[in-house]
Amino acid sequence: MIELSLNRDYYHLQEKMYAWCQENLGLGGWSAVPTAHNDVQWGVASAFGNTHFYFRNESDATLFSLKWR
């Protein structure tokens, strides 16, 4: 699992990033964490203005980074 943490500067983009992941990466969502025991491809969590995206595949994390960072 690959984790990408985004600071408060990205907080206003959460919904757009979430929608992009849904459209491009498959099964995932809020509080979903990819593990060896599920089919989740990505997940997202937020705390104190920081957003954390989790990806099963490195290629998905790379695509996300190229789009949003």
Side-chain angles (χ1 to χ4, degrees):
M1 176 179 64
I2 296 93
E3 177 183 356
L4 296 176
S5 296
L6 304 170
N7 64 23
R8 295 176 196 172
D9 295 338
Y10 293 89
Y11 187 79
H12 69 286
L13 295 173
Q14 274 185 350
E15 293 304 318
K16 290 180 181 180
M17 291 185 286
Y18 181 90
W20 184 88
C21 287
Q22 281 187 314
E23 292 172 10
N24 294 284
L25 303 181
L27 186 61
W30 287 100
S31 300
V33 177
T35 68
H37 305 292
N38 64 26
D39 293 332
V40 174
Q41 297 299 310
W42 64 278
V44 62
S46 182
F48 306 109
N50 297 307
T51 307
H52 308 277
F53 280 86
Y54 305 94
F55 302 94
R56 177 183 300 279
N57 301 314
E58 188 174 340
S59 59
D60 291 343
T62 300
L63 283 174
F64 180 88
S65 292
L66 290 171
K67 172 69 178 171
W68 297 105
R69 289 184 122 186

